[in-house]
Amino acid sequence: MLDESALGDGWEVWNAEESRVILAYRPDVFNGSDFPSPCLPTIYVTRGRRNRRPEGNRNLPPDAPWMVTLYLEPEVNRDPDAYDTIGDAIEGAEALSRRFAAGEIDYRGLYQVPREAYFEELDELTGRE
């Protein structure tokens, strides 16, 4: 169902299961030596609620929406987008990955405490000036 060729530059499928998909951005850069692994930008596609972590309680109602969430770190994320079907959520995740790779996502605004070196690397990778 996921079309890897539809992902933005630098994004790859990290994990794809029936109940969730995880996309990772440039794991070659955010590898623990150049930048800390927890700073690896990820996009999660999961069923759930807007206020629930992807790994949380799986006792969900059958009509729970599919959520697409961009994480810059475990505690730093963009508000999730909700979709009715997994197909729509996958398309939303693909579009989000392309927008991120094109420098269209304001990741700086998601931080309360800026990480300037991290921002500079993301700026360079996503073509921002």
Side-chain angles (χ1 to χ4, degrees):
M1 192 181 307
L2 179 71
D3 180 4
E4 267 194 271
S5 67
L7 298 178
D9 290 341
W11 285 93
E12 62 184 63
V13 176
W14 195 261
N15 187 21
E17 301 171 1
E18 186 176 308
S19 61
R20 76 175 176 177
V21 173
I22 303 171
L23 306 176
Y25 182 70
R26 296 294 308 265
D28 60 316
V29 173
F30 301 96
N31 57 15
S33 60
D34 296 325
F35 282 92
S37 298
C39 290
L40 173 72
T42 55
I43 296 174
Y44 278 76
V45 178
T46 57
R47 277 191 58 230
R49 299 173 198 86
R50 286 188 184 276
N51 60 352
R52 189 181 62 74
R53 303 287 301 169
E55 62 280 347
N57 183 353
R58 302 310 304 163
N59 296 324
L60 299 169
D63 63 344
W66 286 89
M67 308 306 287
V68 175
T69 310
L70 169 66
Y71 287 92
L72 296 174
E73 296 184 36
E75 300 300 323
V76 179
N77 64 280
R78 180 178 173 268
D79 286 340
D81 299 317
Y83 297 89
D84 291 332
T85 68
I86 189 168
D88 289 343
I90 294 292
E91 288 179 14
E94 292 167 349
L96 180 59
S97 75
R98 290 189 303 270
R99 289 177 50 221
F100 184 93
E104 297 173 10
I105 301 296
D106 177 20
Y107 42 77
R108 291 173 183 263
L110 300 176
Y111 278 83
Q112 291 180 357
V113 178
R115 291 174 163 266
E116 289 307 320
Y118 176 57
F119 290 159
E120 288 172 13
E121 182 68 22
L122 283 178
D123 288 347
E124 184 177 320
L125 293 170
T126 60
R128 286 183 170 198
E129 294 297 322

